């Protein structure tokens, strides 16, 4: 199975990114997490992206805040799918990060999830890898069934609470 790379622009992104790590782990998807900056270590980001495919990666998640150029820089140097994970920043609550990621120029796409949407970034990475992996596809199907069951249980629980409330 191909690996997922999770690249953070800063180690301060780790608390949010850890949700993606947990989700990938639950699907038994191998991953590597690194800190690289589009601005402070651009050569490292370039080299990582250029070699990612040869190093066994199938998808790259790029978490960044503020100007949030990391996903675009990575995408410029690879043909692998890049998923942008906008981070909340001190200036615009992550809106600046989101807009930086979704406004990529033609030819350099970065799929983008919600601000702080680490779990969805991991699920999207899993769905991309599952195109060629029936076992992973089955895990994703079970994940959706489990979500459905949780919602149905919550629905039953609310109905019971209302019934008790109305006495």
């Amino acid at each position: 199975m191909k690996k997922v790379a999770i690249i953070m622009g800063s180690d301060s992104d780790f608390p949010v990114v850890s949700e993606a790590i947990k989700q990938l782990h639950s699907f038994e998807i191998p991953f590597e997490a690194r800190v690289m900056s589009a601005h402070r270590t651009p050569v490292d980001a370039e080299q990582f992206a250029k070699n990612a495919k040869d190093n066994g990666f199938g998808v790259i998640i790029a978490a960044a805040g503020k100007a949030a150029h990391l996903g675009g820089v990575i995408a410029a140097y690879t043909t692998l799918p890049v998923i942008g994970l906008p981070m909340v920043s001190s200036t615009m609550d992550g809106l600046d990060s989101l807009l930086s990621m979704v406004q990529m120029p033609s030819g350099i796409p970065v799929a983008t999830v919600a601000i702080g949407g680490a779990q969805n970034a991991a699920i999207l990475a899993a769905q991309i890898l599952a195109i060629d992996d029936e076992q992973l596809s089955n895990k994703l199907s079970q994940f959706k069934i489990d979500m459905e069951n949780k919602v149905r249980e919550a629905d039953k629980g609310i109905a019971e609470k209302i019934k008790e409330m109305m006495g």
Side-chain angles (χ1 to χ4, degrees):
M1 175 185 297
K2 299 240 183 240
K3 300 181 287 186
V4 174
I6 304 172
I7 310 299
M8 295 165 265
S10 169
D11 62 350
S12 65
D13 299 332
F14 185 73
V16 172
V17 167
S18 67
E19 294 303 313
I21 290 169
K22 290 175 192 173
Q23 189 66 62
L24 291 171
H25 179 72
S26 76
F27 291 136
E28 300 178 16
I29 297 172
F31 65 89
E32 289 181 25
R34 303 276 309 274
V35 176
M36 286 177 218
S37 170
H39 305 109
R40 295 181 191 103
T41 59
V43 174
D44 293 353
E46 175 187 352
Q47 290 305 310
F48 182 87
K50 284 181 174 179
N51 295 306
K53 192 172 187 178
D54 289 339
N55 288 331
F57 293 99
V59 181
I60 300 170
I61 297 171
K66 296 187 179 180
H69 294 139
L70 184 59
V73 167
I74 297 288
Y77 291 109
T78 187
T79 58
L80 294 177
V82 176
I83 302 168
L85 172 54
M87 304 300 292
V88 172
S89 62
S90 58
T91 52
M92 298 176 67
D93 291 329
L95 184 58
D96 49 342
S97 307
L98 174 66
L99 294 175
S100 292
M101 289 181 185
V102 299
Q103 295 297 328
M104 293 302 299
S106 294
I108 311 295
V110 174
T112 307
V113 296
I115 298 165
Q119 185 182 24
N120 272 353
I123 293 166
L124 180 55
Q127 290 174 326
I128 292 167
L129 294 177
I131 291 169
D132 293 336
D133 186 324
E134 189 66 29
Q135 186 177 4
L136 182 54
S137 180
N138 291 338
K139 287 178 185 178
L140 285 161
S141 294
Q142 185 61 52
F143 176 76
K144 292 202 176 226
I145 290 168
D146 292 345
M147 283 192 307
E148 289 174 12
N149 290 336
K150 285 180 186 176
V151 171
R152 289 185 180 117
E153 285 301 313
D155 182 51
K156 288 178 187 175
I158 290 296
E160 286 298 316
K161 286 180 183 181
I162 292 171
K163 189 176 180 180
E164 289 173 15
M165 186 174 83
M166 298 304 198

